[in-house]
mmCIF file of all heavy atoms in Angstrom:
data_model
loop_
_atom_site.group_PDB
_atom_site.id
_atom_site.type_symbol
_atom_site.label_atom_id
_atom_site.label_comp_id
_atom_site.label_asym_id
_atom_site.label_seq_id
_atom_site.Cartn_x
_atom_site.Cartn_y
_atom_site.Cartn_z
ATOM 1 N N PRO N 18 -16.824 36.144 3.401
ATOM 2 C CA PRO N 18 -15.946 35.341 4.165
ATOM 3 C C PRO N 18 -15.063 34.366 3.216
ATOM 4 O O PRO N 18 -13.850 34.011 3.469
ATOM 5 C CB PRO N 18 -16.638 34.654 5.265
ATOM 6 C CG PRO N 18 -18.135 34.772 4.935
ATOM 7 C CD PRO N 18 -18.190 35.958 3.877
ATOM 8 N N ARG N 19 -15.693 33.761 2.205
ATOM 9 C CA ARG N 19 -15.020 32.810 1.328
ATOM 10 C C ARG N 19 -13.855 33.477 0.676
ATOM 11 O O ARG N 19 -12.713 32.995 0.608
ATOM 12 C CB ARG N 19 -16.029 32.245 0.462
ATOM 13 C CG ARG N 19 -15.419 31.282 -0.562
ATOM 14 C CD ARG N 19 -16.465 30.699 -1.505
ATOM 15 N NE ARG N 19 -15.912 30.292 -2.659
ATOM 16 C CZ ARG N 19 -16.604 29.950 -3.718
ATOM 17 N NH1 ARG N 19 -17.844 30.152 -3.843
ATOM 18 N NH2 ARG N 19 -16.011 29.580 -4.856
ATOM 19 N N PHE N 20 -14.173 34.710 0.212
ATOM 20 C CA PHE N 20 -13.060 35.366 -0.640
ATOM 21 C C PHE N 20 -11.889 35.911 0.454
ATOM 22 O O PHE N 20 -10.834 35.788 -0.028
ATOM 23 C CB PHE N 20 -13.687 36.661 -1.262
ATOM 24 C CG PHE N 20 -12.584 37.548 -1.973
ATOM 25 C CD1 PHE N 20 -11.926 37.207 -3.154
ATOM 26 C CD2 PHE N 20 -12.282 38.742 -1.403
ATOM 27 C CE1 PHE N 20 -11.096 37.954 -3.774
ATOM 28 C CE2 PHE N 20 -11.205 39.573 -1.924
ATOM 29 C CZ PHE N 20 -10.760 39.087 -3.189
ATOM 30 N N ALA N 21 -12.332 36.262 1.587
ATOM 31 C CA ALA N 21 -11.311 36.831 2.561
ATOM 32 C C ALA N 21 -10.462 35.644 3.068
ATOM 33 O O ALA N 21 -9.208 35.674 3.102
ATOM 34 C CB ALA N 21 -12.106 37.389 3.799
ATOM 35 N N ALA N 22 -11.072 34.493 3.128
ATOM 36 C CA ALA N 22 -10.196 33.224 3.614
ATOM 37 C C ALA N 22 -9.192 32.816 2.482
ATOM 38 O O ALA N 22 -8.215 32.494 2.755
ATOM 39 C CB ALA N 22 -11.184 32.050 3.994
ATOM 40 N N ALA N 23 -9.717 32.846 1.226
ATOM 41 C CA ALA N 23 -8.826 32.451 0.093
ATOM 42 C C ALA N 23 -7.829 33.537 -0.051
ATOM 43 O O ALA N 23 -6.692 33.144 -0.355
ATOM 44 C CB ALA N 23 -9.725 32.227 -1.149
ATOM 45 N N PHE N 24 -8.120 34.845 0.233
ATOM 46 C CA PHE N 24 -7.154 35.838 0.004
ATOM 47 C C PHE N 24 -6.004 35.624 1.084
ATOM 48 O O PHE N 24 -4.754 35.666 0.771
ATOM 49 C CB PHE N 24 -7.876 37.116 0.225
ATOM 50 C CG PHE N 24 -6.921 38.382 -0.016
ATOM 51 C CD1 PHE N 24 -6.592 38.672 -1.412
ATOM 52 C CD2 PHE N 24 -6.304 39.062 0.970
ATOM 53 C CE1 PHE N 24 -5.803 39.764 -1.741
ATOM 54 C CE2 PHE N 24 -5.516 40.192 0.605
ATOM 55 C CZ PHE N 24 -5.210 40.564 -0.673
ATOM 56 N N VAL N 25 -6.398 35.308 2.295
ATOM 57 C CA VAL N 25 -5.353 35.083 3.408
ATOM 58 C C VAL N 25 -4.530 33.907 3.112
ATOM 59 O O VAL N 25 -3.209 33.916 3.153
ATOM 60 C CB VAL N 25 -6.113 34.947 4.702
ATOM 61 C CG1 VAL N 25 -5.140 34.425 5.811
ATOM 62 C CG2 VAL N 25 -6.662 36.182 5.118
ATOM 63 N N GLU N 26 -5.094 32.876 2.477
ATOM 64 C CA GLU N 26 -4.329 31.537 2.204
ATOM 65 C C GLU N 26 -3.549 31.720 0.898
ATOM 66 O O GLU N 26 -2.774 30.826 0.594
ATOM 67 C CB GLU N 26 -5.383 30.442 2.138
ATOM 68 C CG GLU N 26 -5.980 30.016 3.430
ATOM 69 C CD GLU N 26 -7.140 29.090 3.290
ATOM 70 O OE1 GLU N 26 -7.305 28.511 2.210
ATOM 71 O OE2 GLU N 26 -7.767 28.794 4.251
ATOM 72 N N GLY N 27 -3.872 32.763 0.118
ATOM 73 C CA GLY N 27 -3.046 32.835 -1.183
ATOM 74 C C GLY N 27 -3.680 32.059 -2.331
ATOM 75 O O GLY N 27 -3.014 31.876 -3.263
ATOM 76 N N ARG N 28 -4.916 31.629 -2.188
ATOM 77 C CA ARG N 28 -5.610 30.854 -3.194
ATOM 78 C C ARG N 28 -6.460 31.859 -3.898
ATOM 79 O O ARG N 28 -7.242 32.576 -3.399
ATOM 80 C CB ARG N 28 -6.504 29.749 -2.701
ATOM 81 C CG ARG N 28 -5.588 28.531 -1.981
ATOM 82 C CD ARG N 28 -6.600 27.539 -1.573
ATOM 83 N NE ARG N 28 -7.370 27.956 -0.521
ATOM 84 C CZ ARG N 28 -8.688 27.894 -0.552
ATOM 85 N NH1 ARG N 28 -9.377 27.371 -1.581
ATOM 86 N NH2 ARG N 28 -9.476 28.478 0.499
ATOM 87 N N PRO N 29 -6.565 31.766 -5.264
ATOM 88 C CA PRO N 29 -7.365 32.761 -5.967
ATOM 89 C C PRO N 29 -8.768 32.264 -5.849
ATOM 90 O O PRO N 29 -9.132 31.144 -5.921
ATOM 91 C CB PRO N 29 -6.927 32.638 -7.369
ATOM 92 C CG PRO N 29 -6.243 31.330 -7.483
ATOM 93 C CD PRO N 29 -5.611 31.112 -6.212
ATOM 94 N N CYS N 30 -9.767 33.237 -5.630
ATOM 95 C CA CYS N 30 -11.268 32.929 -5.624
ATOM 96 C C CYS N 30 -11.888 34.294 -5.953
ATOM 97 O O CYS N 30 -11.463 35.366 -5.512
ATOM 98 C CB CYS N 30 -11.481 32.824 -4.083
ATOM 99 S SG CYS N 30 -13.281 32.605 -3.801
ATOM 100 N N ARG N 31 -12.866 34.150 -6.959
ATOM 101 C CA ARG N 31 -13.660 35.304 -7.258
ATOM 102 C C ARG N 31 -14.433 35.883 -6.214
ATOM 103 O O ARG N 31 -15.008 35.160 -5.405
ATOM 104 C CB ARG N 31 -14.468 34.917 -8.453
ATOM 105 C CG ARG N 31 -13.732 34.622 -9.788
ATOM 106 C CD ARG N 31 -14.623 34.578 -10.882
ATOM 107 N NE ARG N 31 -15.310 33.383 -10.861
ATOM 108 C CZ ARG N 31 -16.268 32.957 -11.683
ATOM 109 N NH1 ARG N 31 -16.515 33.694 -12.710
ATOM 110 N NH2 ARG N 31 -16.736 31.728 -11.635
ATOM 111 N N PRO N 32 -14.535 37.190 -6.138
ATOM 112 C CA PRO N 32 -15.373 37.807 -5.104
ATOM 113 C C PRO N 32 -16.819 37.490 -5.381
ATOM 114 O O PRO N 32 -17.257 37.053 -6.426
ATOM 115 C CB PRO N 32 -15.141 39.399 -5.291
ATOM 116 C CG PRO N 32 -13.824 39.498 -6.163
ATOM 117 C CD PRO N 32 -13.740 38.159 -6.786
ATOM 118 N N ARG N 33 -17.563 37.634 -4.285
ATOM 119 C CA ARG N 33 -19.001 37.371 -4.438
ATOM 120 C C ARG N 33 -19.758 38.003 -5.629
ATOM 121 O O ARG N 33 -20.550 37.400 -6.217
ATOM 122 C CB ARG N 33 -19.693 37.583 -3.162
ATOM 123 C CG ARG N 33 -21.307 37.258 -3.125
ATOM 124 C CD ARG N 33 -21.834 37.575 -1.821
ATOM 125 N NE ARG N 33 -21.420 36.420 -0.879
ATOM 126 C CZ ARG N 33 -21.402 36.655 0.326
ATOM 127 N NH1 ARG N 33 -21.641 37.814 0.996
ATOM 128 N NH2 ARG N 33 -20.999 35.723 1.161
ATOM 129 N N GLU N 34 -19.436 39.192 -5.896
ATOM 130 C CA GLU N 34 -20.166 39.929 -6.793
ATOM 131 C C GLU N 34 -19.917 39.429 -8.196
ATOM 132 O O GLU N 34 -20.685 39.751 -9.191
ATOM 133 C CB GLU N 34 -19.898 41.484 -6.795
ATOM 134 C CG GLU N 34 -18.504 41.889 -6.983
ATOM 135 C CD GLU N 34 -17.873 41.984 -5.539
ATOM 136 O OE1 GLU N 34 -18.351 41.666 -4.544
ATOM 137 O OE2 GLU N 34 -16.681 42.717 -5.636
ATOM 138 N N TYR N 35 -18.847 38.612 -8.403
ATOM 139 C CA TYR N 35 -18.528 37.991 -9.732
ATOM 140 C C TYR N 35 -19.087 36.621 -9.820
ATOM 141 O O TYR N 35 -18.889 35.995 -10.990
ATOM 142 C CB TYR N 35 -17.152 38.059 -9.996
ATOM 143 C CG TYR N 35 -16.636 39.544 -10.187
ATOM 144 C CD1 TYR N 35 -15.615 40.006 -9.268
ATOM 145 C CD2 TYR N 35 -17.170 40.335 -11.052
ATOM 146 C CE1 TYR N 35 -15.286 41.160 -9.317
ATOM 147 C CE2 TYR N 35 -16.725 41.728 -11.263
ATOM 148 C CZ TYR N 35 -15.690 42.075 -10.233
ATOM 149 O OH TYR N 35 -15.271 43.445 -10.438
ATOM 150 N N ARG N 36 -19.587 36.071 -8.779
ATOM 151 C CA ARG N 36 -20.057 34.628 -8.881
ATOM 152 C C ARG N 36 -21.598 34.788 -9.272
ATOM 153 O O ARG N 36 -22.344 35.038 -8.448
ATOM 154 C CB ARG N 36 -19.993 33.902 -7.499
ATOM 155 C CG ARG N 36 -18.398 33.725 -7.241
ATOM 156 C CD ARG N 36 -18.394 32.895 -5.925
ATOM 157 N NE ARG N 36 -17.607 33.765 -5.112
ATOM 158 C CZ ARG N 36 -17.821 33.833 -3.755
ATOM 159 N NH1 ARG N 36 -18.742 33.262 -3.109
ATOM 160 N NH2 ARG N 36 -16.990 34.567 -3.009
ATOM 161 N N ARG N 37 -21.935 34.520 -10.491
ATOM 162 C CA ARG N 37 -23.341 34.602 -10.936
ATOM 163 C C ARG N 37 -23.802 33.416 -11.634
ATOM 164 O O ARG N 37 -24.621 33.476 -12.637
ATOM 165 C CB ARG N 37 -23.327 35.761 -11.954
ATOM 166 C CG ARG N 37 -22.831 37.018 -11.373
ATOM 167 C CD ARG N 37 -23.910 37.931 -11.094
ATOM 168 N NE ARG N 37 -23.484 39.307 -10.632
ATOM 169 C CZ ARG N 37 -23.777 39.830 -9.592
ATOM 170 N NH1 ARG N 37 -24.191 39.179 -8.557
ATOM 171 N NH2 ARG N 37 -23.227 40.980 -9.163
ATOM 172 N N GLY N 38 -23.439 32.150 -11.192
ATOM 173 C CA GLY N 38 -23.878 30.993 -11.877
ATOM 174 C C GLY N 38 -25.358 30.683 -11.933
ATOM 175 O O GLY N 38 -25.958 30.396 -12.854
ATOM 176 N N ALA N 39 -25.976 30.926 -10.771
ATOM 177 C CA ALA N 39 -27.417 30.843 -10.619
ATOM 178 C C ALA N 39 -28.167 31.752 -11.410
ATOM 179 O O ALA N 39 -29.210 31.553 -12.029
ATOM 180 C CB ALA N 39 -27.796 30.805 -9.107
ATOM 181 N N ALA N 40 -27.534 33.077 -11.495
ATOM 182 C CA ALA N 40 -28.260 34.005 -12.343
ATOM 183 C C ALA N 40 -28.212 33.737 -13.868
ATOM 184 O O ALA N 40 -29.191 33.942 -14.483
ATOM 185 C CB ALA N 40 -27.669 35.381 -12.066
ATOM 186 N N TRP N 41 -27.076 33.215 -14.330
ATOM 187 C CA TRP N 41 -26.915 32.856 -15.777
ATOM 188 C C TRP N 41 -27.948 31.697 -16.017
ATOM 189 O O TRP N 41 -28.523 31.657 -17.086
ATOM 190 C CB TRP N 41 -25.556 32.499 -16.086
ATOM 191 C CG TRP N 41 -24.801 33.779 -16.235
ATOM 192 C CD1 TRP N 41 -23.708 34.122 -15.534
ATOM 193 C CD2 TRP N 41 -24.870 34.783 -17.329
ATOM 194 N NE1 TRP N 41 -23.159 35.301 -15.887
ATOM 195 C CE2 TRP N 41 -23.909 35.790 -17.018
ATOM 196 C CE3 TRP N 41 -25.772 34.855 -18.386
ATOM 197 C CZ2 TRP N 41 -23.694 36.913 -17.812
ATOM 198 C CZ3 TRP N 41 -25.575 36.060 -19.198
ATOM 199 C CH2 TRP N 41 -24.492 36.996 -18.939
ATOM 200 N N LEU N 42 -27.975 30.700 -15.132
ATOM 201 C CA LEU N 42 -28.901 29.580 -15.401
ATOM 202 C C LEU N 42 -30.366 30.029 -15.187
ATOM 203 O O LEU N 42 -31.126 29.527 -16.242
ATOM 204 C CB LEU N 42 -28.540 28.589 -14.233
ATOM 205 C CG LEU N 42 -29.438 27.212 -14.322
ATOM 206 C CD1 LEU N 42 -29.265 26.425 -15.589
ATOM 207 C CD2 LEU N 42 -29.272 26.408 -13.024
ATOM 208 N N THR N 43 -30.704 30.848 -14.358
ATOM 209 C CA THR N 43 -32.068 31.405 -14.267
ATOM 210 C C THR N 43 -32.445 32.110 -15.575
ATOM 211 O O THR N 43 -33.559 31.963 -16.111
ATOM 212 C CB THR N 43 -32.266 32.256 -13.098
ATOM 213 O OG1 THR N 43 -31.812 31.438 -11.912
ATOM 214 C CG2 THR N 43 -33.711 32.711 -12.986
#
């Protein structure tokens, strides 16, 4: 939903599958 909302508003947002901050920290 976060990506879809940003897409509708015209703001760039990475899709969920590219958000890996917790994985890199772990």
Side-chain angles (χ1 to χ4, degrees):
R19 179 177 157 198
F20 177 75
F24 190 75
V25 168
E26 294 172 7
R28 293 181 296 127
C30 174
R31 286 191 286 177
R33 176 177 291 150
E34 60 264 15
Y35 296 119
R36 291 183 239 141
R37 304 261 189 241
W41 285 110
L42 179 63
T43 306

